[in-house]
Amino acid sequence: MKIFLAGQAYYRRDNGQAVFTINLAEGLAANGHRVVVLAPSETQKAERHLDHGVKIQAVPAIPLVDNTNITVFSGGLIEQILDEVQPDVIHIQDHYFLSHSVLAAARARRIPIVGTNHFLPENITDNFLHHFPFSQWAHKPLDHLLWVSMLSVYNQLAAVSTPTETAASILRGQGIHVPVSAISCGVDVKRFRPRPTLNRRMIRQKYGLALDRVVMLYVGRLDREKDLDILVDAMAQFGRRDIQLAIVGKGSFRNELERLREKFGLHDTIVLPGFVPDNDLPLLFNSVDLFVMPGHAELQSIATLEAMASGLPILAARARALPELVIHGVNGYLFTVRDSISAACGIRQLIQQRAQWPQMGAVSRAKAEAHDHQKVVAQYVEWYRQLRRN
C-alpha cells in the first residue's frame, strides 16, 4: 500500500505528535508499505531524503512557535509529489497550514484522506493566556474558536483516529461529524522494557541523579499546561530529602521551574537534566524508581506508556486519558488535577508502598503490552484498508 503522511511535526522527537508520526511511518515501512512523509523543512528549503525506509519530502517553511510553521507557498510542490506518488491513502496529523493544503489537493484528486487528532485547546491557551490580565475569562471563547478551526478541517475527512476512548469522547462532544476510532499511539515494548542487569549507577551519574535516593522521573515538554509547578509545590510540601524528582525535557517553562526550585530551597531535591537523547531514554527509565505525569491535557501520554513498558509504578493526574493507563492503587496512584496537596499525598502513598513496586511495575508492563507498536501499525493498516473498501 502507498501511504502518504503529512503534518507540522516530524523531525524532532520532543512532542507526542512527532513521536507518533515517526513511529507510525517507520513501522509501516518496516512492514513493506511505501511511505512518504510531507513535513516542514528544518532548513526552510525544499529537500528530499530517505530515512529508515521512509521517503521524506520537506517543504519550504517559515517557523513560528513550537512546531507551527507557515507553509502556504508549498501548494505546487504538494501537487507535484501527490501526482508522483499517487497514494492509496493520505493521513494528516493536524489541521494547520500544511495539512490544510494537502486536504485541498487530495479532495481535488479524490484520494481518500483521514486524520489523527493530537490537539486540545489547552495546549495552546494555557501557554498563551497567562500573560494577560483576566485570562480566565478568555479561555472558554478562545477554546471554542480553536475547536471550530480544527473541526473545519477534520469534518472534511473520511474518518478520524485519536489515541484513547477519552479523546474520542471529547471529539464527539465537540461535534465532529465523521467516524472516530480510538487507536493507541503505541509503544515499542522491545525497546522500552525492564532491564534488571542495567548499571543504574552509571546512568544516574551521567544525568546528575542521586545515587542514594528514591528518584521519581518526569519526561516531556517543559510547558505550562504540563502542571510541573504543581509537582514542585508537592515536593516542597512532602518535605523529605531522601526523595529526588528529575524533570527531563526542554521548553518555555524551565526558567519558572528553576525559580520555584530556588524559592523552596529544593536545588538538590529537584534536578533538571534537560533534553535526554532518544537512545538514552530506555536506560533512564530503568535507572529510576517511579514515574510521574501531572498534566491535565493528556490525550494519552506516550512518555507514560514508555515508563509503564519499562516496568515503573506511575503517579498521574486524574485528568483526561491518564486514568485509562493508571489504575489507582494497582499500578500506581492518581491525584486530583492541579492540586499539590493531593499530589504530595500520592507521593507519600507510593513511598509507603515500596514493597509493592515490583508488583505495580509488572501490572504497568502488562498494560503497556496491550499498546505494542506492532499491534498499532497493524490496526492502522486495517483502518486504511477499510477506508479504501468503503
mmCIF file with all atom_site columns, all heavy atoms in Angstrom, residues 11 36 45-50 55-58 77 80-81 84-85:
data_model
loop_
_atom_site.group_PDB
_atom_site.id
_atom_site.type_symbol
_atom_site.label_atom_id
_atom_site.label_alt_id
_atom_site.label_comp_id
_atom_site.label_asym_id
_atom_site.label_entity_id
_atom_site.label_seq_id
_atom_site.pdbx_PDB_ins_code
_atom_site.Cartn_x
_atom_site.Cartn_y
_atom_site.Cartn_z
_atom_site.occupancy
_atom_site.B_iso_or_equiv
_atom_site.pdbx_formal_charge
_atom_site.auth_seq_id
_atom_site.auth_comp_id
_atom_site.auth_asym_id
_atom_site.auth_atom_id
_atom_site.pdbx_PDB_model_num
ATOM 1   N N   . TYR A 1 11 ? 10.517 15.831 12.492 1.00 0.00 ? 11 TYR A N   1
ATOM 2   C CA  . TYR A 1 11 ? 11.939 15.619 12.738 1.00 0.00 ? 11 TYR A CA  1
ATOM 3   C C   . TYR A 1 11 ? 12.284 15.495 14.219 1.00 0.00 ? 11 TYR A C   1
ATOM 4   O O   . TYR A 1 11 ? 13.079 14.653 14.610 1.00 0.00 ? 11 TYR A O   1
ATOM 5   C CB  . TYR A 1 11 ? 12.757 16.766 12.122 1.00 0.00 ? 11 TYR A CB  1
ATOM 6   C CG  . TYR A 1 11 ? 12.632 16.834 10.630 1.00 0.00 ? 11 TYR A CG  1
ATOM 7   C CD1 . TYR A 1 11 ? 11.748 17.712 10.008 1.00 0.00 ? 11 TYR A CD1 1
ATOM 8   C CD2 . TYR A 1 11 ? 13.374 15.980 9.824  1.00 0.00 ? 11 TYR A CD2 1
ATOM 9   C CE1 . TYR A 1 11 ? 11.629 17.763 8.638  1.00 0.00 ? 11 TYR A CE1 1
ATOM 10  C CE2 . TYR A 1 11 ? 13.253 16.015 8.441  1.00 0.00 ? 11 TYR A CE2 1
ATOM 11  C CZ  . TYR A 1 11 ? 12.384 16.913 7.860  1.00 0.00 ? 11 TYR A CZ  1
ATOM 12  O OH  . TYR A 1 11 ? 12.263 16.942 6.513  1.00 0.00 ? 11 TYR A OH  1
ATOM 13  N N   . VAL A 1 36 ? 5.510  7.840  2.310  1.00 0.00 ? 36 VAL A N   1
ATOM 14  C CA  . VAL A 1 36 ? 6.048  9.172  2.029  1.00 0.00 ? 36 VAL A CA  1
ATOM 15  C C   . VAL A 1 36 ? 5.521  10.123 3.099  1.00 0.00 ? 36 VAL A C   1
ATOM 16  O O   . VAL A 1 36 ? 4.324  10.106 3.423  1.00 0.00 ? 36 VAL A O   1
ATOM 17  C CB  . VAL A 1 36 ? 5.627  9.666  0.632  1.00 0.00 ? 36 VAL A CB  1
ATOM 18  C CG1 . VAL A 1 36 ? 6.137  11.088 0.390  1.00 0.00 ? 36 VAL A CG1 1
ATOM 19  C CG2 . VAL A 1 36 ? 6.145  8.722  -0.445 1.00 0.00 ? 36 VAL A CG2 1
ATOM 20  N N   . LYS A 1 45 ? 14.117 25.026 3.335  1.00 0.00 ? 45 LYS A N   1
ATOM 21  C CA  . LYS A 1 45 ? 14.209 24.816 1.891  1.00 0.00 ? 45 LYS A CA  1
ATOM 22  C C   . LYS A 1 45 ? 13.625 23.450 1.532  1.00 0.00 ? 45 LYS A C   1
ATOM 23  O O   . LYS A 1 45 ? 13.612 22.534 2.352  1.00 0.00 ? 45 LYS A O   1
ATOM 24  C CB  . LYS A 1 45 ? 15.671 24.883 1.438  1.00 0.00 ? 45 LYS A CB  1
ATOM 25  C CG  . LYS A 1 45 ? 16.350 26.220 1.703  1.00 0.00 ? 45 LYS A CG  1
ATOM 26  C CD  . LYS A 1 45 ? 17.811 26.176 1.285  1.00 0.00 ? 45 LYS A CD  1
ATOM 27  C CE  . LYS A 1 45 ? 18.506 27.494 1.580  1.00 0.00 ? 45 LYS A CE  1
ATOM 28  N NZ  . LYS A 1 45 ? 19.954 27.461 1.202  1.00 0.00 ? 45 LYS A NZ  1
ATOM 29  N N   . ALA A 1 46 ? 13.173 23.315 0.308  1.00 0.00 ? 46 ALA A N   1
ATOM 30  C CA  . ALA A 1 46 ? 12.654 22.029 -0.166 1.00 0.00 ? 46 ALA A CA  1
ATOM 31  C C   . ALA A 1 46 ? 13.798 21.020 -0.239 1.00 0.00 ? 46 ALA A C   1
ATOM 32  O O   . ALA A 1 46 ? 14.843 21.289 -0.828 1.00 0.00 ? 46 ALA A O   1
ATOM 33  C CB  . ALA A 1 46 ? 12.000 22.191 -1.527 1.00 0.00 ? 46 ALA A CB  1
ATOM 34  N N   . GLU A 1 47 ? 13.593 19.858 0.372  1.00 0.00 ? 47 GLU A N   1
ATOM 35  C CA  . GLU A 1 47 ? 14.602 18.793 0.388  1.00 0.00 ? 47 GLU A CA  1
ATOM 36  C C   . GLU A 1 47 ? 13.895 17.454 0.349  1.00 0.00 ? 47 GLU A C   1
ATOM 37  O O   . GLU A 1 47 ? 12.743 17.328 0.772  1.00 0.00 ? 47 GLU A O   1
ATOM 38  C CB  . GLU A 1 47 ? 15.474 18.871 1.650  1.00 0.00 ? 47 GLU A CB  1
ATOM 39  C CG  . GLU A 1 47 ? 16.255 20.162 1.797  1.00 0.00 ? 47 GLU A CG  1
ATOM 40  C CD  . GLU A 1 47 ? 16.956 20.255 3.141  1.00 0.00 ? 47 GLU A CD  1
ATOM 41  O OE1 . GLU A 1 47 ? 16.404 19.741 4.135  1.00 0.00 ? 47 GLU A OE1 1
ATOM 42  O OE2 . GLU A 1 47 ? 18.038 20.843 3.188  1.00 0.00 ? 47 GLU A OE2 1
ATOM 43  N N   . ARG A 1 48 ? 14.618 16.435 -0.100 1.00 0.00 ? 48 ARG A N   1
ATOM 44  C CA  . ARG A 1 48 ? 14.061 15.086 -0.107 1.00 0.00 ? 48 ARG A CA  1
ATOM 45  C C   . ARG A 1 48 ? 15.147 14.110 0.305  1.00 0.00 ? 48 ARG A C   1
ATOM 46  O O   . ARG A 1 48 ? 16.283 14.198 -0.165 1.00 0.00 ? 48 ARG A O   1
ATOM 47  C CB  . ARG A 1 48 ? 13.541 14.724 -1.500 1.00 0.00 ? 48 ARG A CB  1
ATOM 48  C CG  . ARG A 1 48 ? 12.827 13.369 -1.555 1.00 0.00 ? 48 ARG A CG  1
ATOM 49  C CD  . ARG A 1 48 ? 12.330 13.056 -2.953 1.00 0.00 ? 48 ARG A CD  1
ATOM 50  N NE  . ARG A 1 48 ? 11.282 13.971 -3.395 1.00 0.00 ? 48 ARG A NE  1
ATOM 51  C CZ  . ARG A 1 48 ? 10.572 13.803 -4.503 1.00 0.00 ? 48 ARG A CZ  1
ATOM 52  N NH1 . ARG A 1 48 ? 10.802 12.754 -5.288 1.00 0.00 ? 48 ARG A NH1 1
ATOM 53  N NH2 . ARG A 1 48 ? 9.646  14.673 -4.839 1.00 0.00 ? 48 ARG A NH2 1
ATOM 54  N N   . HIS A 1 49 ? 14.814 13.183 1.210  1.00 0.00 ? 49 HIS A N   1
ATOM 55  C CA  . HIS A 1 49 ? 15.783 12.165 1.595  1.00 0.00 ? 49 HIS A CA  1
ATOM 56  C C   . HIS A 1 49 ? 15.052 10.932 2.123  1.00 0.00 ? 49 HIS A C   1
ATOM 57  O O   . HIS A 1 49 ? 13.834 10.964 2.360  1.00 0.00 ? 49 HIS A O   1
ATOM 58  C CB  . HIS A 1 49 ? 16.768 12.693 2.646  1.00 0.00 ? 49 HIS A CB  1
ATOM 59  C CG  . HIS A 1 49 ? 16.133 13.067 3.953  1.00 0.00 ? 49 HIS A CG  1
ATOM 60  N ND1 . HIS A 1 49 ? 15.473 14.256 4.156  1.00 0.00 ? 49 HIS A ND1 1
ATOM 61  C CD2 . HIS A 1 49 ? 16.071 12.391 5.135  1.00 0.00 ? 49 HIS A CD2 1
ATOM 62  C CE1 . HIS A 1 49 ? 15.035 14.319 5.396  1.00 0.00 ? 49 HIS A CE1 1
ATOM 63  N NE2 . HIS A 1 49 ? 15.374 13.197 6.003  1.00 0.00 ? 49 HIS A NE2 1
ATOM 64  N N   . LEU A 1 50 ? 15.796 9.847  2.292  1.00 0.00 ? 50 LEU A N   1
ATOM 65  C CA  . LEU A 1 50 ? 15.259 8.577  2.781  1.00 0.00 ? 50 LEU A CA  1
ATOM 66  C C   . LEU A 1 50 ? 15.789 8.332  4.180  1.00 0.00 ? 50 LEU A C   1
ATOM 67  O O   . LEU A 1 50 ? 16.981 8.484  4.442  1.00 0.00 ? 50 LEU A O   1
ATOM 68  C CB  . LEU A 1 50 ? 15.694 7.438  1.856  1.00 0.00 ? 50 LEU A CB  1
ATOM 69  C CG  . LEU A 1 50 ? 14.972 6.097  2.012  1.00 0.00 ? 50 LEU A CG  1
ATOM 70  C CD1 . LEU A 1 50 ? 13.517 6.216  1.557  1.00 0.00 ? 50 LEU A CD1 1
ATOM 71  C CD2 . LEU A 1 50 ? 15.691 5.015  1.199  1.00 0.00 ? 50 LEU A CD2 1
ATOM 72  N N   . LYS A 1 55 ? 10.422 7.792  2.772  1.00 0.00 ? 55 LYS A N   1
ATOM 73  C CA  . LYS A 1 55 ? 10.795 8.905  1.900  1.00 0.00 ? 55 LYS A CA  1
ATOM 74  C C   . LYS A 1 55 ? 10.211 10.185 2.486  1.00 0.00 ? 55 LYS A C   1
ATOM 75  O O   . LYS A 1 55 ? 8.995  10.299 2.676  1.00 0.00 ? 55 LYS A O   1
ATOM 76  C CB  . LYS A 1 55 ? 10.278 8.692  0.490  1.00 0.00 ? 55 LYS A CB  1
ATOM 77  C CG  . LYS A 1 55 ? 10.677 9.809  -0.486 1.00 0.00 ? 55 LYS A CG  1
ATOM 78  C CD  . LYS A 1 55 ? 10.120 9.578  -1.881 1.00 0.00 ? 55 LYS A CD  1
ATOM 79  C CE  . LYS A 1 55 ? 10.804 8.413  -2.557 1.00 0.00 ? 55 LYS A CE  1
ATOM 80  N NZ  . LYS A 1 55 ? 10.359 8.262  -3.978 1.00 0.00 ? 55 LYS A NZ  1
ATOM 81  N N   . ILE A 1 56 ? 11.069 11.145 2.800  1.00 0.00 ? 56 ILE A N   1
ATOM 82  C CA  . ILE A 1 56 ? 10.639 12.385 3.430  1.00 0.00 ? 56 ILE A CA  1
ATOM 83  C C   . ILE A 1 56 ? 10.796 13.533 2.445  1.00 0.00 ? 56 ILE A C   1
ATOM 84  O O   . ILE A 1 56 ? 11.892 13.780 1.933  1.00 0.00 ? 56 ILE A O   1
ATOM 85  C CB  . ILE A 1 56 ? 11.459 12.671 4.705  1.00 0.00 ? 56 ILE A CB  1
ATOM 86  C CG1 . ILE A 1 56 ? 11.309 11.515 5.702  1.00 0.00 ? 56 ILE A CG1 1
ATOM 87  C CG2 . ILE A 1 56 ? 11.019 13.985 5.342  1.00 0.00 ? 56 ILE A CG2 1
ATOM 88  C CD1 . ILE A 1 56 ? 12.298 11.550 6.836  1.00 0.00 ? 56 ILE A CD1 1
ATOM 89  N N   . GLN A 1 57 ? 9.693  14.208 2.183  1.00 0.00 ? 57 GLN A N   1
ATOM 90  C CA  . GLN A 1 57 ? 9.717  15.412 1.365  1.00 0.00 ? 57 GLN A CA  1
ATOM 91  C C   . GLN A 1 57 ? 9.517  16.611 2.289  1.00 0.00 ? 57 GLN A C   1
ATOM 92  O O   . GLN A 1 57 ? 8.440  16.811 2.857  1.00 0.00 ? 57 GLN A O   1
ATOM 93  C CB  . GLN A 1 57 ? 8.620  15.385 0.303  1.00 0.00 ? 57 GLN A CB  1
ATOM 94  C CG  . GLN A 1 57 ? 8.496  16.684 -0.483 1.00 0.00 ? 57 GLN A CG  1
ATOM 95  C CD  . GLN A 1 57 ? 9.722  16.972 -1.340 1.00 0.00 ? 57 GLN A CD  1
ATOM 96  O OE1 . GLN A 1 57 ? 10.032 16.229 -2.266 1.00 0.00 ? 57 GLN A OE1 1
ATOM 97  N NE2 . GLN A 1 57 ? 10.425 18.064 -1.030 1.00 0.00 ? 57 GLN A NE2 1
ATOM 98  N N   . ALA A 1 58 ? 10.573 17.393 2.469  1.00 0.00 ? 58 ALA A N   1
ATOM 99  C CA  . ALA A 1 58 ? 10.487 18.595 3.281  1.00 0.00 ? 58 ALA A CA  1
ATOM 100 C C   . ALA A 1 58 ? 10.106 19.769 2.399  1.00 0.00 ? 58 ALA A C   1
ATOM 101 O O   . ALA A 1 58 ? 10.646 19.931 1.306  1.00 0.00 ? 58 ALA A O   1
ATOM 102 C CB  . ALA A 1 58 ? 11.823 18.862 3.965  1.00 0.00 ? 58 ALA A CB  1
ATOM 103 N N   . LEU A 1 77 ? 4.397  22.250 -4.896 1.00 0.00 ? 77 LEU A N   1
ATOM 104 C CA  . LEU A 1 77 ? 5.206  21.094 -4.519 1.00 0.00 ? 77 LEU A CA  1
ATOM 105 C C   . LEU A 1 77 ? 4.332  19.954 -4.016 1.00 0.00 ? 77 LEU A C   1
ATOM 106 O O   . LEU A 1 77 ? 4.575  18.777 -4.308 1.00 0.00 ? 77 LEU A O   1
ATOM 107 C CB  . LEU A 1 77 ? 6.230  21.496 -3.465 1.00 0.00 ? 77 LEU A CB  1
ATOM 108 C CG  . LEU A 1 77 ? 7.192  20.408 -2.970 1.00 0.00 ? 77 LEU A CG  1
ATOM 109 C CD1 . LEU A 1 77 ? 7.983  19.809 -4.127 1.00 0.00 ? 77 LEU A CD1 1
ATOM 110 C CD2 . LEU A 1 77 ? 8.137  20.984 -1.916 1.00 0.00 ? 77 LEU A CD2 1
ATOM 111 N N   . GLN A 1 80 ? 2.733  18.301 -6.957 1.00 0.00 ? 80 GLN A N   1
ATOM 112 C CA  . GLN A 1 80 ? 3.735  17.546 -7.703 1.00 0.00 ? 80 GLN A CA  1
ATOM 113 C C   . GLN A 1 80 ? 4.010  16.194 -7.062 1.00 0.00 ? 80 GLN A C   1
ATOM 114 O O   . GLN A 1 80 ? 4.028  15.161 -7.749 1.00 0.00 ? 80 GLN A O   1
ATOM 115 C CB  . GLN A 1 80 ? 5.030  18.354 -7.776 1.00 0.00 ? 80 GLN A CB  1
ATOM 116 C CG  . GLN A 1 80 ? 6.177  17.620 -8.455 1.00 0.00 ? 80 GLN A CG  1
ATOM 117 C CD  . GLN A 1 80 ? 7.482  18.405 -8.366 1.00 0.00 ? 80 GLN A CD  1
ATOM 118 O OE1 . GLN A 1 80 ? 7.479  19.639 -8.327 1.00 0.00 ? 80 GLN A OE1 1
ATOM 119 N NE2 . GLN A 1 80 ? 8.600  17.690 -8.310 1.00 0.00 ? 80 GLN A NE2 1
ATOM 120 N N   . ILE A 1 81 ? 4.195  16.170 -5.738 1.00 0.00 ? 81 ILE A N   1
ATOM 121 C CA  . ILE A 1 81 ? 4.550  14.905 -5.086 1.00 0.00 ? 81 ILE A CA  1
ATOM 122 C C   . ILE A 1 81 ? 3.335  13.974 -5.013 1.00 0.00 ? 81 ILE A C   1
ATOM 123 O O   . ILE A 1 81 ? 3.473  12.748 -5.115 1.00 0.00 ? 81 ILE A O   1
ATOM 124 C CB  . ILE A 1 81 ? 5.182  15.139 -3.700 1.00 0.00 ? 81 ILE A CB  1
ATOM 125 C CG1 . ILE A 1 81 ? 5.809  13.826 -3.207 1.00 0.00 ? 81 ILE A CG1 1
ATOM 126 C CG2 . ILE A 1 81 ? 4.186  15.659 -2.692 1.00 0.00 ? 81 ILE A CG2 1
ATOM 127 C CD1 . ILE A 1 81 ? 6.716  13.985 -2.018 1.00 0.00 ? 81 ILE A CD1 1
ATOM 128 N N   . GLU A 1 84 ? 3.181  12.341 -8.282 1.00 0.00 ? 84 GLU A N   1
ATOM 129 C CA  . GLU A 1 84 ? 4.290  11.395 -8.416 1.00 0.00 ? 84 GLU A CA  1
ATOM 130 C C   . GLU A 1 84 ? 4.032  10.110 -7.638 1.00 0.00 ? 84 GLU A C   1
ATOM 131 O O   . GLU A 1 84 ? 4.238  9.007  -8.145 1.00 0.00 ? 84 GLU A O   1
ATOM 132 C CB  . GLU A 1 84 ? 5.572  12.058 -7.917 1.00 0.00 ? 84 GLU A CB  1
ATOM 133 C CG  . GLU A 1 84 ? 6.797  11.160 -7.888 1.00 0.00 ? 84 GLU A CG  1
ATOM 134 C CD  . GLU A 1 84 ? 7.969  11.843 -7.216 1.00 0.00 ? 84 GLU A CD  1
ATOM 135 O OE1 . GLU A 1 84 ? 8.128  13.066 -7.365 1.00 0.00 ? 84 GLU A OE1 1
ATOM 136 O OE2 . GLU A 1 84 ? 8.736  11.143 -6.509 1.00 0.00 ? 84 GLU A OE2 1
ATOM 137 N N   . VAL A 1 85 ? 3.563  10.235 -6.401 1.00 0.00 ? 85 VAL A N   1
ATOM 138 C CA  . VAL A 1 85 ? 3.375  9.066  -5.517 1.00 0.00 ? 85 VAL A CA  1
ATOM 139 C C   . VAL A 1 85 ? 2.073  8.341  -5.820 1.00 0.00 ? 85 VAL A C   1
ATOM 140 O O   . VAL A 1 85 ? 2.005  7.114  -5.774 1.00 0.00 ? 85 VAL A O   1
ATOM 141 C CB  . VAL A 1 85 ? 3.407  9.516  -4.039 1.00 0.00 ? 85 VAL A CB  1
ATOM 142 C CG1 . VAL A 1 85 ? 3.104  8.343  -3.105 1.00 0.00 ? 85 VAL A CG1 1
ATOM 143 C CG2 . VAL A 1 85 ? 4.755  10.129 -3.700 1.00 0.00 ? 85 VAL A CG2 1
#
